[in-house]
Structure formats: structure tokens, C-alpha cells
Amino acid sequence: MSTSPSVIDTRRDQMFPVLEPFEIERLRRFGKVRRYDAAAALAKVGELGIGLILILSGQVEISRRDGLGHSTQIVTYGPGSFMGELAQLSGRPTLIDAYARTPAEALIISPDQLRALLIAEAELGERIMRALILRRVGLLETGAGGPVIVGRAGNGDVLRLEGFLRRNGHPRQRLDPDTDPEAKALIERFHVDPGELPIVLCPGGELLRNPSENELARCIGLVGPIDPNRVYDVAIVGAGPAGLATAVYAGSEGLTTLLLDCRAFGGQAGASARIENYLGFPTGITGMALMARAYNQARKFGVETAIPDEVIGLEAASGSGSGRFVLKLATNERVIARSVVIASGARYRQLAVDGLESFEAASVHYWASPLEAKLCAGQEVALVGAGNSAGQAAVYLASQVSKVWLLVREHVALPRRPHCGPLECGGVGEDHHHGRRRPRWDAGSNPVATRYWRGGASSNPTSVPVHRGGSQHGLALRLRRSLGRQGIRIDGCGRGRGPILSGDKPGGRVCYR
Ligand SMILES: Cc1cc2nc3c(=O)[nH]c(=O)nc-3n(C[C@H](O)[C@H](O)[C@H](O)COP(=O)(O)OP(=O)(O)OC[C@H]3O[C@@H](n4cnc5c(N)ncnc54)[C@H](O)[C@@H]3O)c2cc1C
């Protein structure tokens, strides 16, 4: 369990600012006044939000509710406080409950007026935006307002759904059917066979049996229907860094913009444990944090999003719509736009290893986020490849797992220590594969492979405890750059001809051969 303090404790003042009377007056032009009787609901989990609600008089009780209906009070708002979090920027379903404790009067600022306010009122807008973001962070910490996933931690479908929600910055909870009495109660109540797990309980009470990401997204209101007659100025395919940058600039120029992605915002960059080379972040930033900033910035400028929605076709509109484009979606919907920007990025290259698919999502992953790190905590992990992503993953995982193996296919020259010699492919599985170019991945063996060989040679891999490093020596340029930037250095040669790496993750071990 995380021991880091909650954002509610550390940044309470920024999360729940109270506006001064003169500031409230400045905001009046953006909203409409509404009155509520005592005990009336201002917002309910799962219902579409009406926007930002600024309390003018009376008191309003805010509580979070988990998918099982347990309610916990977060805060009581009085005059000058405002209700809302990021969902209010685009009128998405609300993640909290709000009830008037006394008769109350409030200024309702609709999502489009809220976006106008954020741009027109620079200083106030910055404080409000920061509060909305921090409140979402608080909900993410507790999982409140999001769906409940019932399933085992290592199950591939559980990981798929958890990963999808995490990448989309949406709160969630997971209950283990083996240990959690509430999970057991849910399984009995809904007559769920073990083979139907995971199940997902949405905040609105709907139950989904092992849903697709699209089904889940629609159930929790992440994505809705697209107006087939609306003509967008710009439609952007892909919400990675390129698509998000396009969205921010198009939105800020006042163009009507739709941003589509078949998975989540952030693209590959969202999977990065730490981005060190992005302009303006001298201490580095996690890919997810960077991409979430860009995503919220795009929404602030009124960019509409359709995530997850896959684009499967593009054609020029005919007849009266000529000069426009039609995007066809996997849902059979269509999007009309005057211009289309395709920012669909790159596809991951997969390992040419037989039987790989049966391990994917459960024990073969294509990035190392906190979710994967938790999954293999205390175990040995093999990283295949030695580029930038592997360097990041090695450093990140070294502090979480018992040992990290780096498997490198190509010959790696060691300029400073030529006697270390070239390195060859590491194979995985219980069978030795002398001379075979395609190592066998034995689907019947333990899914977390425990033995690794150098192709054609048998030597014990070298490992050393990782400690804070000093100057950097060189591996091949690519490996040296990616590891060196992360604080890992090469100390010398190991018994198995591989160099010994050391870095700045106390307690972790990085092995290289
Ligand atoms: C683990 C990792 C760490 C990295 N670290 C760094 C780093 O530290 N520094 C650095 O500079 N670079 C880093 N990179 C590389 C960087 O992330 C990529 O160069 C960058 O993300 C490319 O941006 P993009 O927007 O062009 O494409 P992508 O990020 O690939 O985004 C493309 C998006 O398009 C979507 N898409 C594709 N097809 C469709 C379709 N048909 N319909 C709808 N949506 C679609 C995808 O789902 C995806 O979200 C890293 C990459 C990884 C994987």
C-alpha cells in the first residue's frame, strides 16, 4: 500500500479555494443563478454534469461514492467555494455526490462558459483549473466515482481494463474475488461464473461481464455518440503527442476540433516512465503527467474527444459536401471534417517468438507503468531490447522488482573495454536453443520465465546490486545514451563477458549480459 500522503492533505488549500466577493462578481457574467432546497441534490455520481457550481449562499455537502455504494464525505462547501472537477470541462458524468445541507443559492457555469472563463480570466482561471485537476488527482487516489472491477490482479483482462482506465485518467477500484468479501457477495448476487470474470460494476449500477474497452468507456460515459451531421473544422486521428499538440493549437485558434483515439490519450509517450528531453521540464516528467496536461489543455480550448473510437476509413465527401472528408469509425459512425490530421504514430514491433500471444497482457507487456511494476513486484523481469524505452524501464523497474535482466540481440561494442567482447541474443524458455534464431517460448512453462541463455554459449549472467553511480562509461551508443541518462553506469566486466551496470536505485538490481 502506498505510504505517500494524499493530495487532499498536502494541497488542500489549492484544491478547495474560496473566492472573494469581488471575484464572485467577476464570474457572474459566465453563469446563471439557481436555488436549491435543503437536501436537494446538486450532483449525483454517474449523472451528466451541468458544469461548475459556485456556491453563493448556504452549505453544500460533497461526498465520494465507490462503486459499491459506500459514501465518504470529502468537504462541505460554503459561499465562495465551487464544485467541480475535470469532468465539468466537457459535461461528462459526475464523479461525486453533492447535496444541499441548508437552502442554497449557486451560480451554474455550463461547460462551454467554464472554458470561456478559463481563457478570459487568466489568474482566476489558473486557480480554478488547478483545483479541477487536483480534485481529479484526489479521486484517482481513492478510485472514487469510477467503476469497480472484480477480478484477480494478474488476469490479462483485468490488466487490460485497469490499464485502459489508468491511461484515460479515470478512477477505478479492483476487488479480488479470492480475498474480498464484497467481491464474493457481488459474484453471488449477479450469479457470475468464475469463467465470466472479470466483471465491472459501473457507477450507474450496470454490470458488464468482461467488457471490451469500448463497452466500458460507453458505460461510464467516457465516450458518447458522434453527431453525423456536424462538420468539424479539424478531425485528428490519434491522441499521442502529435495529435494532442495539433488539438491544442487548433482549439486555441477557435477551430471546431474532434480528437479521436482508439485506445487512450497520450499514445506511446503516455507509457513512458520518465521523459527527460521535453522542453521546459528540466527535472523530467512522467509521460502520463505530461500527456494529461496536454489533454486537459486541449479540453480547455473546447476540443471534443472521442476516445476510444477507432478510425477505419477515410474518403472525400461527394455532392454538396465536396471539399469535406468523411472518417468512418469502427462503431459504424462517421465524422465529417473540412480537414483531417492523421497522427496515428507507430506500431510496436513484436518479438518473433512462437506462442507470444498467449503471454501478452498477463506476463508480456510493452511498457512498464506502475500497474506492471505492481504486478511483478519482487520478481525477476526480463527486458527485451536496449533502446530508450528499455533504459527507462530498467531504471524504473529496478526499484520495484528483485532483478531486471536486459536481453540484447545485436552485437554491442564496448569502446572503453574491448575485452568484454560482443554480446548475443538472449533466449527465453526452458529449452536451450543452440544456433536457433527464433528462441522457443514454451507456453507450458511458468509464465514468468526464470532462465535466460546467451545464444550458443552457456555462462552465468552477471548481476550486481545497484547503487548510486559516478561517471559513465560506454556501452554501444544507443544503450549508453538510454541507460546513462537514467543514472546507470558501467562498472566493469562480469563473469559472463557482460558489463556490470550500476545506477541510482538502491535495493534494485540491474543485470546485463
Ligand atoms: C515506453 C516509451 C518511452 C518513451 N520515452 C521517450 C522519451 O523519454 N523521450 C522521447 O522523446 N520519446 C520517447 N518515446 C517516444 C515517443 O513517445 C514517441 O516518439 C511519440 O509518442 C510519438 O508521438 P505520435 O503522436 O506521433 O504517435 P503515438 O504516440 O504513437 O500516438 C499515436 C496514437 O494514434 C492512435 N491511433 C493509431 N491508429 C488509430 C486509428 N486508426 N484510429 C484512432 N486512433 C489511432 C494510437 O492509439 C496512439 O494513441 C517513448 C516511447 C515509449 C513507448
Side-chain angles (χ1 to χ4, degrees):
M1 194 194 260
S2 167
T3 51
S4 46
S6 163
V7 67
I8 296 186
D9 300 325
T10 56
R11 300 181 73 177
R12 196 173 184 90
D13 290 348
Q14 289 178 318
M15 271 175 105
F16 305 113
V18 180
L19 304 186
E20 298 291 337
F22 74 93
E23 292 173 318
I24 296 175
E25 287 312 309
R26 291 225 314 257
L27 297 189
R28 276 189 189 269
R29 67 193 160 105
F30 294 100
K32 289 194 179 116
V33 176
R34 197 184 279 184
R35 284 174 188 80
Y36 295 90
D37 294 332
L42 283 76
K44 282 186 189 168
V45 172
E47 291 187 357
L48 284 188
I50 53 174
L52 191 95
I53 302 179
L54 173 62
I55 313 300
L56 301 173
S57 68
Q59 290 199 320
V60 176
E61 202 86 72
I62 308 295
S63 52
R64 59 177 179 238
R65 191 179 357 139
D66 67 22
L68 301 168
H70 306 140
S71 190
T72 313
Q73 196 204 328
I74 306 176
V75 67
T76 302
Y77 285 144
S81 299
F82 55 87
M83 282 171 50
E85 57 86 53
L86 284 177
Q88 271 58 63
L89 276 181
S90 46
R92 293 268 161 77
T94 304
L95 300 176
I96 47 103
D97 290 321
Y99 287 91
R101 185 192 265 184
T102 62
E105 199 177 54
L107 186 72
I108 313 294
I109 304 176
S110 65
D112 56 335
Q113 282 302 302
L114 173 60
R115 294 194 297 267
L117 176 165
L118 293 176
I119 294 164
E121 290 285 340
E123 193 273 331
L124 253 179
E126 189 184 324
R127 276 163 60 203
I128 293 173
M129 187 71 183
R130 186 178 301 127
L132 303 186
I133 292 172
L134 288 173
R135 290 172 187 180
R136 172 61 67 99
V137 172
L139 291 169
L140 283 170
E141 278 180 359
T142 57
V148 177
I149 302 172
V150 179
R152 291 177 187 91
N155 178 285
D157 287 313
V158 171
L159 282 169
R160 173 177 62 79
L161 296 170
E162 281 200 290
F164 169 74
L165 292 168
R166 188 186 61 80
R167 288 289 302 273
N168 279 292
H170 200 86
R172 86 256 170 209
Q173 283 175 285
R174 187 182 58 77
L175 302 180
D176 193 320
D178 295 329
T179 53
D180 195 297
E182 286 183 304
K184 286 180 186 160
L186 276 176
I187 288 172
E188 277 167 27
R189 191 165 116 212
F190 291 105
H191 308 290
V192 180
D193 290 336
E196 289 179 315
L197 289 176
I199 52 169
V200 181
L201 196 60
C202 297
E206 304 91 331
L207 180 89
L208 305 175
R209 290 166 202 259
N210 196 6
S212 66
E213 286 96 315
N214 209 294
E215 285 170 314
L216 175 59
R218 278 166 208 279
C219 188
I220 60 178
L222 264 185
V223 65
I226 290 174
D227 181 352
N229 300 313
R230 170 118 195 243
V231 180
Y232 289 92
D233 291 323
V234 192
I236 305 164
V237 185
L244 283 168
T246 311
V248 168
Y249 297 128
S252 65
E253 289 298 326
L255 301 173
T256 56
T257 307
L258 180 68
L259 177 65
L260 303 113
D261 199 293
C262 55
R263 258 176 255 127
F265 68 80
Q268 297 170 64
S272 178
R274 194 142 204 93
I275 295 182
E276 304 276 359
N277 61 346
Y278 197 78
L279 191 72
F281 292 89
T283 55
I285 181 168
T286 66
M288 191 58 201
L290 181 64
M291 292 298 103
R293 283 169 188 237
Y295 180 69
N296 293 331
Q297 197 177 8
R299 291 211 291 177
K300 179 177 113 172
F301 287 122
V303 171
E304 291 179 33
T305 56
I307 303 175
D309 254 330
E310 186 183 6
V311 177
I312 55 168
L314 167 66
E315 56 190 41
S318 53
S320 60
S322 71
R324 295 171 184 171
F325 299 94
V326 180
L327 290 175
K328 290 183 175 170
L329 309 189
T331 51
N332 278 332
E333 291 173 295
R334 58 183 206 149
V335 174
I336 307 175
R338 293 191 180 86
S339 55
V340 173
V341 176
I342 300 177
S344 52
R347 264 201 197 137
Y348 291 104
R349 192 171 55 184
Q350 290 180 305
L351 267 186
V353 169
D354 293 337
L356 184 72
E357 316 73 55
S358 55
F359 292 98
E360 276 176 342
S363 53
V364 172
H365 306 275
Y366 292 91
W367 48 71
S369 72
L371 207 67
E372 286 77 27
K374 207 166 132 195
L375 197 69
C376 33
Q379 302 179 45
E380 297 193 6
V381 176
L383 288 174
V384 182
N388 185 61
S389 307
Q392 287 186 354
V395 173
Y396 175 58
L397 290 173
S399 61
Q400 322 267 330
V401 304
S402 70
K403 196 184 278 184
V404 178
W405 298 98
L406 208 54
L407 303 179
V408 187
R409 177 187 57 189
E410 63 196 62
H411 288 228
V412 178
L414 297 165
R416 293 235 178 157
R417 298 185 184 270
H419 59 285
C420 284
L423 298 165
E424 293 176 290
C425 174
V428 184
E430 288 299 319
D431 290 337
H432 205 297
H433 53 273
H434 289 287
R436 282 179 61 180
R437 292 193 73 80
R438 276 171 65 100
R440 187 165 78 85
W441 192 295
D442 187 352
S445 66
N446 185 339
V448 179
T450 53
R451 294 179 65 193
Y452 310 92
W453 285 272
R454 176 184 316 208
S458 61
S459 55
N460 291 327
T462 304
S463 67
V464 290
V466 173
H467 54 85
R468 181 164 283 284
S471 66
Q472 293 177 3
H473 299 277
L475 273 177
L477 195 59
R478 197 156 61 101
L479 183 60
R480 183 179 61 197
R481 277 201 190 127
S482 60
L483 292 179
R485 225 180 8 235
Q486 316 284 338
I488 289 186
R489 66 177 180 147
I490 301 156
D491 280 352
C493 291
R495 272 191 299 142
R497 292 197 299 168
I500 300 173
L501 306 179
S502 61
D504 63 355
K505 300 285 170 186
R509 288 151 75 92
V510 173
C511 307
Y512 181 83
R513 48 172 307 208

